[in-house]
Amino acid sequence: EVQLVESGGGSVQAGGSLKLSCAASGYRFGSYCVAWFRQAPEKERERVAFSDSDGRITYADSVKGRFTISRDNVKNILYLQMISLKPEDTAVYYCAADAGEGSCYLGYEGRGTQVNVTS
């Protein structure tokens, strides 16, 4: 059974930093597509960072220059480094991974970790 478990969320003041982790069991991130999404109350779900199987990375305009997605294939952990956090970054953050063995279908997803940014 594949499980993705996010951690590292919490409360931080605006301008602060957090580093989210996503640990996988029953799954190896390897070079598969991975992503971080977020969902804030009364807002649409947003994909904030994406890394494809060729290592190309894209970010939502709202986080570009502040968020960095990375993976440690030895520890089998996906990260999202967040700096210069803003109150509008408050959301539940989810990691997602390719469930299609290279198809880039992000069918595996964790339960999320809450990030609260106070002004």
Side-chain angles (χ1 to χ4, degrees), residues 6-36:
E6 301 92 340
S7 61
S11 293
V12 63
Q13 286 191 324
S17 302
L18 283 174
K19 187 172 185 178
L20 306 183
S21 299
C22 172
S25 59
Y27 184 86
R28 300 292 304 181
F29 288 118
S31 59
Y32 288 142
C33 293
V34 291
W36 286 92

mmCIF file of all heavy atoms in Angstrom, residues 6-36:
data_model
loop_
_atom_site.group_PDB
_atom_site.id
_atom_site.type_symbol
_atom_site.label_atom_id
_atom_site.label_comp_id
_atom_site.label_asym_id
_atom_site.label_seq_id
_atom_site.Cartn_x
_atom_site.Cartn_y
_atom_site.Cartn_z
ATOM 1 N N GLU A 6 2.725 13.906 4.957
ATOM 2 C CA GLU A 6 3.331 15.232 5.038
ATOM 3 C C GLU A 6 3.607 15.598 6.492
ATOM 4 O O GLU A 6 2.897 15.161 7.407
ATOM 5 C CB GLU A 6 2.409 16.301 4.427
ATOM 6 C CG GLU A 6 2.037 16.099 2.983
ATOM 7 C CD GLU A 6 0.748 15.318 2.795
ATOM 8 O OE1 GLU A 6 0.344 14.620 3.759
ATOM 9 O OE2 GLU A 6 0.146 15.392 1.709
ATOM 10 N N SER A 7 4.616 16.429 6.679
ATOM 11 C CA SER A 7 4.923 16.961 8.001
ATOM 12 C C SER A 7 5.634 18.300 7.820
ATOM 13 O O SER A 7 6.017 18.659 6.705
ATOM 14 C CB SER A 7 5.801 15.995 8.803
ATOM 15 O OG SER A 7 7.035 15.777 8.140
ATOM 16 N N GLY A 8 5.794 19.009 8.923
ATOM 17 C CA GLY A 8 6.533 20.262 8.886
ATOM 18 C C GLY A 8 5.670 21.501 8.886
ATOM 19 O O GLY A 8 6.188 22.623 8.939
ATOM 20 N N GLY A 9 4.363 21.315 8.834
ATOM 21 C CA GLY A 9 3.477 22.466 8.881
ATOM 22 C C GLY A 9 3.459 23.071 10.277
ATOM 23 O O GLY A 9 4.034 22.534 11.219
ATOM 24 N N GLY A 10 2.783 24.202 10.378
ATOM 25 C CA GLY A 10 2.681 24.869 11.670
ATOM 26 C C GLY A 10 2.302 26.317 11.484
ATOM 27 O O GLY A 10 1.867 26.730 10.409
ATOM 28 N N SER A 11 2.484 27.072 12.556
ATOM 29 C CA SER A 11 2.177 28.494 12.523
ATOM 30 C C SER A 11 3.461 29.296 12.496
ATOM 31 O O SER A 11 4.410 28.992 13.221
ATOM 32 C CB SER A 11 1.356 28.875 13.756
ATOM 33 O OG SER A 11 0.080 28.283 13.709
ATOM 34 N N VAL A 12 3.476 30.308 11.662
ATOM 35 C CA VAL A 12 4.673 31.143 11.509
ATOM 36 C C VAL A 12 4.224 32.561 11.195
ATOM 37 O O VAL A 12 3.156 32.761 10.599
ATOM 38 C CB VAL A 12 5.584 30.573 10.401
ATOM 39 C CG1 VAL A 12 4.882 30.604 9.039
ATOM 40 C CG2 VAL A 12 6.922 31.266 10.355
ATOM 41 N N GLN A 13 5.023 33.509 11.578
ATOM 42 C CA GLN A 13 4.712 34.890 11.262
ATOM 43 C C GLN A 13 5.075 35.205 9.819
ATOM 44 O O GLN A 13 5.959 34.561 9.233
ATOM 45 C CB GLN A 13 5.473 35.835 12.194
ATOM 46 C CG GLN A 13 4.914 35.887 13.610
ATOM 47 C CD GLN A 13 5.505 37.019 14.419
ATOM 48 O OE1 GLN A 13 6.673 37.346 14.282
ATOM 49 N NE2 GLN A 13 4.704 37.610 15.285
ATOM 50 N N ALA A 14 4.405 36.177 9.279
ATOM 51 C CA ALA A 14 4.701 36.609 7.914
ATOM 52 C C ALA A 14 6.188 36.955 7.802
ATOM 53 O O ALA A 14 6.761 37.561 8.711
ATOM 54 C CB ALA A 14 3.846 37.822 7.553
ATOM 55 N N GLY A 15 6.772 36.526 6.694
ATOM 56 C CA GLY A 15 8.203 36.717 6.501
ATOM 57 C C GLY A 15 9.033 35.534 6.941
ATOM 58 O O GLY A 15 10.222 35.451 6.626
ATOM 59 N N GLY A 16 8.409 34.619 7.658
ATOM 60 C CA GLY A 16 9.119 33.458 8.157
ATOM 61 C C GLY A 16 9.233 32.354 7.128
ATOM 62 O O GLY A 16 8.833 32.503 5.966
ATOM 63 N N SER A 17 9.795 31.233 7.577
ATOM 64 C CA SER A 17 10.055 30.098 6.682
ATOM 65 C C SER A 17 9.557 28.804 7.299
ATOM 66 O O SER A 17 9.491 28.666 8.527
ATOM 67 C CB SER A 17 11.557 29.967 6.423
ATOM 68 O OG SER A 17 12.096 31.134 5.868
ATOM 69 N N LEU A 18 9.226 27.869 6.454
ATOM 70 C CA LEU A 18 8.900 26.502 6.865
ATOM 71 C C LEU A 18 9.415 25.564 5.791
ATOM 72 O O LEU A 18 9.462 25.916 4.607
ATOM 73 C CB LEU A 18 7.385 26.308 7.016
ATOM 74 C CG LEU A 18 6.685 26.859 8.256
ATOM 75 C CD1 LEU A 18 5.180 26.689 8.120
ATOM 76 C CD2 LEU A 18 7.189 26.179 9.521
ATOM 77 N N LYS A 19 9.746 24.364 6.213
ATOM 78 C CA LYS A 19 10.131 23.332 5.250
ATOM 79 C C LYS A 19 9.223 22.135 5.460
ATOM 80 O O LYS A 19 9.239 21.517 6.530
ATOM 81 C CB LYS A 19 11.588 22.926 5.427
ATOM 82 C CG LYS A 19 12.072 21.975 4.324
ATOM 83 C CD LYS A 19 13.570 21.745 4.434
ATOM 84 C CE LYS A 19 14.093 20.914 3.276
ATOM 85 N NZ LYS A 19 15.560 20.724 3.328
ATOM 86 N N LEU A 20 8.420 21.850 4.461
ATOM 87 C CA LEU A 20 7.521 20.707 4.510
ATOM 88 C C LEU A 20 8.227 19.468 3.981
ATOM 89 O O LEU A 20 9.043 19.551 3.066
ATOM 90 C CB LEU A 20 6.266 20.975 3.684
ATOM 91 C CG LEU A 20 5.492 22.253 4.002
ATOM 92 C CD1 LEU A 20 4.238 22.316 3.149
ATOM 93 C CD2 LEU A 20 5.169 22.343 5.470
ATOM 94 N N SER A 21 7.892 18.339 4.565
ATOM 95 C CA SER A 21 8.429 17.057 4.121
ATOM 96 C C SER A 21 7.282 16.136 3.750
ATOM 97 O O SER A 21 6.187 16.240 4.294
ATOM 98 C CB SER A 21 9.261 16.403 5.226
ATOM 99 O OG SER A 21 10.360 17.214 5.587
ATOM 100 N N CYS A 22 7.566 15.242 2.840
ATOM 101 C CA CYS A 22 6.594 14.239 2.423
ATOM 102 C C CYS A 22 7.332 12.910 2.351
ATOM 103 O O CYS A 22 8.165 12.707 1.472
ATOM 104 C CB CYS A 22 6.009 14.603 1.072
ATOM 105 S SG CYS A 22 4.957 13.338 0.325
ATOM 106 N N ALA A 23 7.040 12.042 3.305
ATOM 107 C CA ALA A 23 7.690 10.739 3.358
ATOM 108 C C ALA A 23 6.793 9.694 2.714
ATOM 109 O O ALA A 23 5.583 9.683 2.947
ATOM 110 C CB ALA A 23 7.980 10.371 4.806
ATOM 111 N N ALA A 24 7.405 8.828 1.931
ATOM 112 C CA ALA A 24 6.636 7.804 1.221
ATOM 113 C C ALA A 24 6.946 6.421 1.760
ATOM 114 O O ALA A 24 8.093 6.113 2.102
ATOM 115 C CB ALA A 24 6.945 7.849 -0.268
ATOM 116 N N SER A 25 5.921 5.604 1.846
ATOM 117 C CA SER A 25 6.104 4.192 2.130
ATOM 118 C C SER A 25 5.398 3.407 1.029
ATOM 119 O O SER A 25 4.365 3.840 0.519
ATOM 120 C CB SER A 25 5.557 3.817 3.507
ATOM 121 O OG SER A 25 4.186 4.118 3.591
ATOM 122 N N GLY A 26 6.000 2.302 0.641
ATOM 123 C CA GLY A 26 5.439 1.521 -0.451
ATOM 124 C C GLY A 26 5.609 2.193 -1.798
ATOM 125 O O GLY A 26 4.948 1.802 -2.777
ATOM 126 N N TYR A 27 6.515 3.153 -1.867
ATOM 127 C CA TYR A 27 6.675 3.933 -3.090
ATOM 128 C C TYR A 27 8.054 4.575 -3.087
ATOM 129 O O TYR A 27 8.541 5.010 -2.048
ATOM 130 C CB TYR A 27 5.607 5.019 -3.145
ATOM 131 C CG TYR A 27 5.590 5.852 -4.404
ATOM 132 C CD1 TYR A 27 4.888 5.424 -5.520
ATOM 133 C CD2 TYR A 27 6.273 7.065 -4.479
ATOM 134 C CE1 TYR A 27 4.845 6.191 -6.680
ATOM 135 C CE2 TYR A 27 6.258 7.833 -5.621
ATOM 136 C CZ TYR A 27 5.537 7.389 -6.725
ATOM 137 O OH TYR A 27 5.509 8.140 -7.875
ATOM 138 N N ARG A 28 8.663 4.634 -4.256
ATOM 139 C CA ARG A 28 9.935 5.335 -4.419
ATOM 140 C C ARG A 28 9.701 6.512 -5.341
ATOM 141 O O ARG A 28 9.226 6.354 -6.465
ATOM 142 C CB ARG A 28 10.989 4.409 -5.026
ATOM 143 C CG ARG A 28 11.305 3.164 -4.225
ATOM 144 C CD ARG A 28 12.009 3.455 -2.929
ATOM 145 N NE ARG A 28 13.246 4.210 -3.102
ATOM 146 C CZ ARG A 28 14.042 4.567 -2.092
ATOM 147 N NH1 ARG A 28 13.702 4.262 -0.847
ATOM 148 N NH2 ARG A 28 15.148 5.232 -2.316
ATOM 149 N N PHE A 29 10.050 7.712 -4.867
ATOM 150 C CA PHE A 29 9.862 8.905 -5.701
ATOM 151 C C PHE A 29 10.712 8.822 -6.962
ATOM 152 O O PHE A 29 10.237 9.177 -8.059
ATOM 153 C CB PHE A 29 10.226 10.160 -4.915
ATOM 154 C CG PHE A 29 9.238 10.518 -3.844
ATOM 155 C CD1 PHE A 29 9.618 10.546 -2.507
ATOM 156 C CD2 PHE A 29 7.917 10.827 -4.161
ATOM 157 C CE1 PHE A 29 8.704 10.877 -1.515
ATOM 158 C CE2 PHE A 29 7.002 11.153 -3.182
ATOM 159 C CZ PHE A 29 7.398 11.184 -1.851
ATOM 160 N N GLY A 30 11.945 8.377 -6.824
ATOM 161 C CA GLY A 30 12.828 8.260 -7.978
ATOM 162 C C GLY A 30 12.777 9.500 -8.838
ATOM 163 O O GLY A 30 12.925 10.622 -8.356
ATOM 164 N N SER A 31 12.526 9.287 -10.124
ATOM 165 C CA SER A 31 12.428 10.401 -11.052
ATOM 166 C C SER A 31 10.988 10.626 -11.504
ATOM 167 O O SER A 31 10.740 11.338 -12.476
ATOM 168 C CB SER A 31 13.318 10.151 -12.275
ATOM 169 O OG SER A 31 12.916 8.956 -12.927
ATOM 170 N N TYR A 32 10.050 10.020 -10.783
ATOM 171 C CA TYR A 32 8.642 10.201 -11.159
ATOM 172 C C TYR A 32 8.179 11.628 -10.918
ATOM 173 O O TYR A 32 8.753 12.355 -10.123
ATOM 174 C CB TYR A 32 7.754 9.255 -10.346
ATOM 175 C CG TYR A 32 7.853 7.798 -10.728
ATOM 176 C CD1 TYR A 32 7.807 6.803 -9.752
ATOM 177 C CD2 TYR A 32 7.982 7.407 -12.054
ATOM 178 C CE1 TYR A 32 7.889 5.461 -10.086
ATOM 179 C CE2 TYR A 32 8.062 6.072 -12.401
ATOM 180 C CZ TYR A 32 8.013 5.106 -11.414
ATOM 181 O OH TYR A 32 8.095 3.783 -11.756
ATOM 182 N N CYS A 33 7.115 12.005 -11.580
ATOM 183 C CA CYS A 33 6.497 13.308 -11.364
ATOM 184 C C CYS A 33 6.009 13.424 -9.925
ATOM 185 O O CYS A 33 5.429 12.476 -9.376
ATOM 186 C CB CYS A 33 5.288 13.485 -12.285
ATOM 187 S SG CYS A 33 5.682 13.586 -14.029
ATOM 188 N N VAL A 34 6.240 14.588 -9.349
ATOM 189 C CA VAL A 34 5.777 14.871 -7.991
ATOM 190 C C VAL A 34 5.302 16.312 -7.945
ATOM 191 O O VAL A 34 5.670 17.135 -8.798
ATOM 192 C CB VAL A 34 6.885 14.663 -6.941
ATOM 193 C CG1 VAL A 34 7.230 13.187 -6.788
ATOM 194 C CG2 VAL A 34 8.122 15.469 -7.278
ATOM 195 N N ALA A 35 4.507 16.610 -6.953
ATOM 196 C CA ALA A 35 3.971 17.967 -6.848
ATOM 197 C C ALA A 35 3.551 18.268 -5.420
ATOM 198 O O ALA A 35 3.372 17.361 -4.599
ATOM 199 C CB ALA A 35 2.772 18.133 -7.791
ATOM 200 N N TRP A 36 3.404 19.539 -5.152
ATOM 201 C CA TRP A 36 2.784 20.044 -3.934
ATOM 202 C C TRP A 36 1.576 20.881 -4.347
ATOM 203 O O TRP A 36 1.672 21.730 -5.240
ATOM 204 C CB TRP A 36 3.749 20.906 -3.123
ATOM 205 C CG TRP A 36 4.806 20.137 -2.413
ATOM 206 C CD1 TRP A 36 6.055 19.831 -2.854
ATOM 207 C CD2 TRP A 36 4.712 19.574 -1.093
ATOM 208 N NE1 TRP A 36 6.741 19.109 -1.912
ATOM 209 C CE2 TRP A 36 5.945 18.937 -0.815
ATOM 210 C CE3 TRP A 36 3.712 19.544 -0.115
ATOM 211 C CZ2 TRP A 36 6.207 18.287 0.404
ATOM 212 C CZ3 TRP A 36 3.970 18.898 1.078
ATOM 213 C CH2 TRP A 36 5.197 18.281 1.324
#
